[in-house]
Amino acid sequence: MLIVAERINSSRKAIQEAVLSGDADTIQNEAKIQAEAGADYIDVNAGTFIREELERLQWIVEVVQDAVSLPLCIDSPDPKVIDGILPLLKKTPMINSITLEPSRLEPILPLAVAYKANVIALCQSPKGMADTADQKVAMAHELVEKAEKAGLPQDLLLVDPLVYPVSTSPLSAVAALDAIERIKEEIPGVHTICGLTNVSYGVPERKLINRTFLVAAIVRGLDSAILDPTDKKLFGSMKAALAVMGKDEYCLEFIEAYRAERIA
Amino acid sequence: MLIVAERINSSRKAIQEAVLSGDADTIQNEAKIQAEAGADYIDVNAGTFIREELERLQWIVEVVQDAVSLPLCIDSPDPKVIDGILPLLKKTPMINSITLEPSRLEPILPLAVAYKANVIALCQSPKGMADTADQKVAMAHELVEKAEKAGLPQDLLLVDPLVYPVSTSPLSAVAALDAIERIKEEIPGVHTICGLTNVSYGVPERKLINRTFLVAAIVRGLDSAILDPTDKKLFGSMKAALAVMGKDEYCLEFIEAYRAERIA
């Protein structure tokens, strides 16, 4: 299970304030606790800084790379920001994200190819987000096709089927789960990834819904997730799901995480 | 989701002591809290009382039926015990359980037919418990065939694929989950049920593994479970799984359970 750690995002107040005040310690601590908790990539997002996104993200990237040796995930819809960050990176990065919208696809693919970057590909087109499993799978095929045509092999793509809140779209999670399974079957080289927070919008006990959706997605074949690895309940559910699904032989990783007090 | 509530079992010390001392209040309280927590059937088990199982279970049944109006699930491998209990029951019961072993099949089926009882059918034969998904599915077919031949329609059967501890059999849970999905596909009239505690034997944080397995099983189509509905974390995971799987439209039942403080 590949984990993209989501805590360094300027939409979180503590991150916004640390960036504004140049408080490198806070940012570096966020990077370190996520690395220790099992992150594979550290996501970095400065999207709340309108017109300053690039320079703010440059500072974050510099600060994070001084603190941890993990590769980063550049989280921006703006090709100019991605273009400005890529040359600074010490490790082969991930780009978060492309869609089928020409402005979010065409300028980013050549950058990804040049840097051999992993790319998160959202099932979203100029007409909107994919709704049904059929639409999600069709968009996954189209994303893979366009990426391969640009020279990006499918095993560098992580397709996100996108999920709507179950409070308003009762069958949205099922559609995303069906899509995860079918994308894996139809395009075996590609990876699947999913954000977890959208599914629980408008429901109490949101974190319970989020981690239950993560377990369901792992059961259906999800191999990557964007999440907070320091959330011990979420991390515990993930490790338990991997044990149940036979992806943690003799529960050795589960027991190791338990002993390290990383699960609850 | 049909819930068979498991707390009235003499293998629990409090129950054993209450039965020995004739403490009806304790037994009745266990029945009431499970009924309030959402049980559909109250399981009753006096298996630790060797040679006294029937008389002890008769007392339990009498006491429970005075406290709650729910149907009971007679939990005994002994046809004589089942035969002795059935005439006492006020509601159409469930029998827990039959297997493909002749001694646990032939004397019980006619009783189930006579009382139109639901029957839990374990994927277990004279040669042992089913190991692979193929074996589990084959035994499910055989159980359904034998039940129908005896006059018991398949929609009264709840097939339990059985699950071994993931700590020693890494692929056992996957085999059980595959079987749940395939049994539903191949024998649509039949129900599936599963006990949850065996899967986590030998692992720390057993309850986390148990509730994760329950979520996985619901994702794969499980429609009934033997569990403790007063366990708020387990009950919460179950309700969250039903919401995620589109079986709780607009999360109304989840929100109701949250407001009633039945989930955590």
Side-chain angles (χ1 to χ4, degrees):
Chain A
M1 195 79 192
L2 187 142
I3 298 171
V4 180
E6 70 185 9
R7 291 176 60 92
I8 302 180
N9 189 311
S10 65
S11 67
R12 293 180 61 215
K13 199 165 165 246
I15 301 297
Q16 170 89 6
E17 286 174 1
V19 173
L20 279 173
S21 64
D23 171 8
D25 283 353
T26 292
I27 303 293
Q28 291 182 326
N29 184 54
E30 291 283 356
K32 283 179 196 161
I33 61 172
Q34 293 186 106
E36 281 160 19
D40 295 295
Y41 286 81
I42 305 288
D43 191 88
V44 288
N45 181 311
T48 56
F49 294 101
I50 314 293
R51 279 186 293 274
E52 295 176 7
E53 187 184 354
L54 177 57
E55 77 181 83
R56 297 297 187 177
L57 202 54
Q58 281 170 333
W59 179 78
I60 291 173
V61 162
E62 207 169 288
V63 157
V64 170
Q65 288 191 138
D66 281 348
V68 297
S69 61
L70 288 179
L72 305 189
C73 177
I74 314 172
D75 187 354
S76 172
D78 186 344
K80 284 196 204 88
V81 171
I82 295 168
D83 192 24
I85 295 295
L86 280 168
L88 308 178
L89 299 175
K90 295 181 182 167
K91 294 272 172 78
T92 305
M94 186 179 289
I95 293 171
N96 181 8
S97 54
I98 61 169
T99 74
L100 287 169
E101 297 154 293
S103 67
R104 292 195 55 186
L105 184 73
E106 285 153 16
I108 299 177
L109 278 180
L111 295 173
V113 172
Y115 287 85
K116 295 185 171 55
N118 292 277
V119 181
I120 296 175
L122 311 182
C123 291
Q124 185 170 331
S125 81
K127 291 177 192 158
M129 286 164 68
D131 201 10
T132 64
D134 280 347
Q135 286 168 5
K136 292 174 198 288
V137 173
M139 286 196 198
H141 279 285
E142 208 178 329
L143 284 159
V144 169
E145 220 169 85
K146 296 207 159 148
E148 287 189 328
K149 198 170 282 176
L152 197 70
Q154 55 178 248
D155 68 349
L156 290 185
L157 281 188
L158 301 95
V159 177
D160 184 338
L162 299 179
V163 62
Y164 304 104
V166 285
S167 57
T168 52
S169 307
L171 292 178
S172 169
V174 174
L177 296 168
D178 287 348
I180 287 166
E181 188 166 303
R182 286 177 51 191
I183 289 167
K184 269 289 183 199
E185 280 168 10
E186 297 180 21
I187 324 170
V190 95
H191 300 277
T192 50
I193 194 164
C194 206
L196 305 176
T197 51
N198 209 24
V199 70
S200 61
Y201 185 80
V203 190
E205 293 281 348
R206 289 190 63 176
K207 289 188 167 185
L208 169 59
I209 299 278
N210 296 349
R211 59 182 181 262
T212 302
F213 177 68
L214 175 61
V215 170
I218 290 172
V219 170
R220 300 298 291 276
L222 189 81
D223 63 14
S224 325
I226 308 167
L227 53 78
D228 175 3
T230 71
D231 177 335
K232 293 183 180 185
K233 286 184 179 175
L234 178 64
F235 198 77
S237 289
M238 186 192 79
K239 287 289 185 190
L242 294 170
V244 163
M245 293 310 292
K247 289 174 178 170
D248 174 13
E249 220 171 4
Y250 305 111
C251 304
L252 297 179
E253 288 185 24
F254 183 86
I255 291 167
E256 187 192 334
Y258 168 76
R259 287 193 181 142
E261 295 179 4
R262 282 160 55 201
I263 68 179
Chain B
M1 195 77 192
L2 187 142
I3 298 171
V4 180
E6 71 185 7
R7 291 176 59 92
I8 303 182
N9 188 312
S10 65
S11 67
R12 292 181 60 217
K13 197 164 166 248
I15 301 298
Q16 170 89 6
E17 286 174 1
V19 174
L20 279 173
S21 64
D23 171 9
D25 283 354
T26 292
I27 302 293
Q28 291 184 326
N29 184 55
E30 291 283 357
K32 284 178 195 162
I33 61 172
Q34 293 186 106
E36 281 159 20
D40 296 296
Y41 287 80
I42 305 286
D43 191 89
V44 286
N45 181 311
T48 55
F49 293 101
I50 314 293
R51 279 186 293 272
E52 295 175 8
E53 186 183 356
L54 176 57
E55 75 180 85
R56 297 298 188 174
L57 202 54
Q58 281 170 333
W59 178 80
I60 292 173
V61 162
E62 205 169 289
V63 157
V64 170
Q65 288 191 137
D66 281 348
V68 298
S69 61
L70 289 178
L72 306 189
C73 176
I74 313 171
D75 188 354
S76 172
D78 186 344
K80 285 196 204 88
V81 171
I82 295 168
D83 192 24
I85 295 294
L86 281 168
L88 308 178
L89 299 175
K90 295 180 182 168
K91 295 271 172 80
T92 305
M94 186 178 290
I95 293 171
N96 183 7
S97 53
I98 60 168
T99 74
L100 286 169
E101 297 154 292
S103 67
R104 292 195 55 187
L105 183 73
E106 286 154 16
I108 299 177
L109 278 180
L111 295 172
V113 172
Y115 285 86
K116 294 184 170 58
N118 291 277
V119 180
I120 296 175
L122 311 182
C123 291
Q124 184 171 331
S125 79
K127 288 178 194 158
M129 286 163 68
D131 200 10
T132 64
D134 281 347
Q135 286 169 4
K136 292 174 198 290
V137 174
M139 285 196 200
H141 279 285
E142 208 178 329
L143 284 159
V144 169
E145 220 168 85
K146 295 208 160 147
E148 288 189 327
K149 198 169 284 176
L152 197 71
Q154 56 178 246
D155 67 351
L156 290 184
L157 281 188
L158 301 95
V159 177
D160 183 338
L162 299 178
V163 62
Y164 304 103
V166 284
S167 57
T168 51
S169 305
L171 293 176
S172 169
V174 175
L177 296 167
D178 287 347
I180 286 166
E181 188 166 305
R182 286 178 52 194
I183 290 167
K184 270 288 184 203
E185 280 168 10
E186 297 181 22
I187 322 170
V190 96
H191 301 277
T192 50
I193 194 164
C194 207
L196 305 175
T197 50
N198 208 24
V199 69
S200 62
Y201 186 81
V203 190
E205 293 281 349
R206 288 190 64 176
K207 289 186 167 188
L208 169 58
I209 298 278
N210 296 348
R211 59 182 181 263
T212 302
F213 177 69
L214 175 61
V215 171
I218 290 171
V219 170
R220 300 298 290 277
L222 190 81
D223 63 15
S224 326
I226 308 167
L227 52 76
D228 175 2
T230 71
D231 176 336
K232 293 182 179 184
K233 287 185 177 174
L234 178 65
F235 197 78
S237 288
M238 186 191 79
K239 287 289 184 191
L242 293 170
V244 163
M245 293 310 292
K247 291 176 178 169
D248 174 14
E249 221 169 6
Y250 305 110
C251 304
L252 297 179
E253 289 185 24
F254 183 84
I255 292 166
E256 187 192 333
Y258 167 76
R259 287 193 180 140
E261 297 180 2
R262 281 161 54 202
I263 67 179

